[in-house]
Amino acid sequence: MAVRILSLSRIPATLILLIGPRRTANPPLHPIMGLPHDILVEIFVQALCKPNALTPLILGRICSSWRTIVFNTCELWSRLDFTFTYRPYGPLIDLLGQCFERAGTVPIYLKLCCRISKKVLGIKERREAVERLLALVASRQGQIQRLKLRVPTHWLQVMGEMELRWPKLSSLLISTCNKHEPINLNPSPIPIFSESPSLTRLTIESFYIASFTLPWSNLLHVEFKRISPLEICQALHWGTRLQTMILSEIIDAETLEEPEALLDIITNNSLHSLHYLNINGENQDYTHTSEAFNRLCLPALKHVQFELGFLAPEDMSPQQELNQPTDHLELDQFVRRSQASPHTFIVRSTRLSERDVIGAAHEWGSSLRHLELVNIQYMPGEPLSAALFDAMADDARFLPVLEVLIIDQLPLWPLDVEPGDIIRMLSSRWPNAVEAPD
């Protein structure tokens, strides 16, 4: 009898156990060896896409038939993730060149990361090696479809000296390689990606967005980390076709323009097409966040989400407990100015006033289908009362199309009403509502 164990999630670890006498002189072939060529290639592609992915070189070591497939399939060499440290760059650059050759003419997904520790932040690697690496990348600029760069700023300056065109680039991430590296204000934008007609998705982390010349009119989806309120206005002014925006770590920072020059930007966004807004961050500054979105008028919004974070009491020091912050997310002005009709409103792990929650529900009530309030610290430290549910029970015109209501509070900030009472209050609206199990 033969017991065969096949693990597609970890192909190199495929195991064959033979129990009992063999019927033939040679062990039976594993079933995976009989798969059609195209299915086997697809399995390999999926194995290369996962976190901690396998590499084509590892797959090629399994057997001669796999090695033949791997070294003759261009798609397996088109997803490249290279991390450079302070070891010599030469071998990695040579390997990247070989991968480019084996990728042929298929679209390339490339991620370059340079890890620099804080202790050696001021040390710069030899310019010749960086120029050789970036020249190699530039040689495939017509094939690169997705590009992620987590690199020192002087790498980008080297690229800025090249003539670059990215006709197929659709997704771009630009980030510093280390959070300790200071954000530099570039008075002259770097035109690395100005010639990117297919670019629709952009992520910028820890750089001023005005540091680069970009095809803003083409962008549909943007994500920014460590951005100032005025820069958000700049992005909305430049990206007139934006559909989604994700913001993390809103900070107080200088901009390339004086605040007075942005007044027209702030007041002329009323026709913007943005329909998805997500603001999040770990222990985010509430003052900067409120300042940022209270400037905006975004009537096309359909999804509004906040997750700003705060320290739970068990994580506070005695001094922090005595000086708990009183600032919170101020929704009232944004809700009244937005002129929006969102169908989804989600707030998680955020300090908020109950008055603003109920105000948003009234202002957006005619369109709101999904309302989610999870782990809210209601200010000034009082639990959520029954006011929201009373309004829903007393007036059928309040939140008339609401389909999903999620209220989930930590024991530290409990509701001031029992879940069973909420279900009874809303029984006329949702006769089959049930309380979620603990």
Side-chain angles (χ1 to χ4, degrees), residues 181-202:
E181 187 173 4
I183 301 178
N184 295 320
L185 187 64
N186 295 323
S188 299
I190 304 175
I192 308 174
F193 302 105
S194 58
E195 299 291 332
S196 306
S198 301
L199 186 63
T200 58
R201 188 175 297 273
L202 171 68

Side-chain angles (χ1 to χ4, degrees), residues 226-277:
R226 300 184 72 192
I227 185 172
S228 71
L230 292 179
E231 285 184 290
I232 296 171
C233 295
Q234 285 179 317
L236 290 170
H237 178 64
W238 297 331
T240 54
R241 298 177 58 212
L242 287 178
Q243 297 177 3
T244 68
M245 175 179 282
I246 301 175
L247 306 171
S248 302
E249 296 185 36
I250 299 176
I251 61 174
D252 185 18
E254 302 176 38
T255 62
L256 295 175
E257 300 182 53
E258 293 298 322
E260 292 77 9
L262 290 173
L263 291 177
D264 60 329
I265 298 175
I266 296 168
T267 57
N268 284 282
N269 288 320
S270 59
L271 299 179
H272 207 282
S273 59
L274 194 77
H275 64 73
Y276 178 99
L277 177 64

Side-chain angles (χ1 to χ4, degrees), residues 4 6-11 14 29-47 59 63 65-66 69:
R4 291 175 280 198
L6 169 63
S7 173
L8 289 180
S9 62
R10 304 187 62 168
I11 295 174
T14 300
L29 291 175
H30 195 282
I32 199 171
M33 298 302 183
L35 289 177
H37 179 277
D38 56 340
I39 294 179
L40 197 57
V41 168
E42 182 60 31
I43 293 174
F44 289 170
V45 169
Q46 295 301 318
L59 291 173
C63 62
S65 61
W66 282 24
I69 293 173

Side-chain angles (χ1 to χ4, degrees), residues 377-393:
Q377 183 180 359
Y378 290 97
M379 305 301 290
E382 297 179 355
L384 180 65
S385 69
L388 175 65
F389 313 111
D390 282 335
M392 294 178 65

Side-chain angles (χ1 to χ4, degrees), residues 164-217:
L164 298 172
R165 291 178 176 81
W166 312 86
K168 294 185 178 179
L169 184 65
S170 62
S171 178
L172 172 65
L173 180 148
I174 312 173
S175 173
T176 55
C177 59
N178 191 293
K179 65 180 180 181
H180 300 293
E181 187 173 4
I183 301 178
N184 295 320
L185 187 64
N186 295 323
S188 299
I190 304 175
I192 308 174
F193 302 105
S194 58
E195 299 291 332
S196 306
S198 301
L199 186 63
T200 58
R201 188 175 297 273
L202 171 68
T203 301
I204 296 180
E205 300 178 0
S206 302
F207 276 107
Y208 287 96
I209 63 173
S211 296
F212 307 95
T213 304
L214 295 162
W216 285 97
S217 60

Side-chain angles (χ1 to χ4, degrees), residues 424-435:
R424 285 189 291 273
M425 293 168 67
L426 303 179
S427 59
S428 60
R429 183 175 296 213
W430 293 315
N432 298 320
V434 295
E435 180 181 350

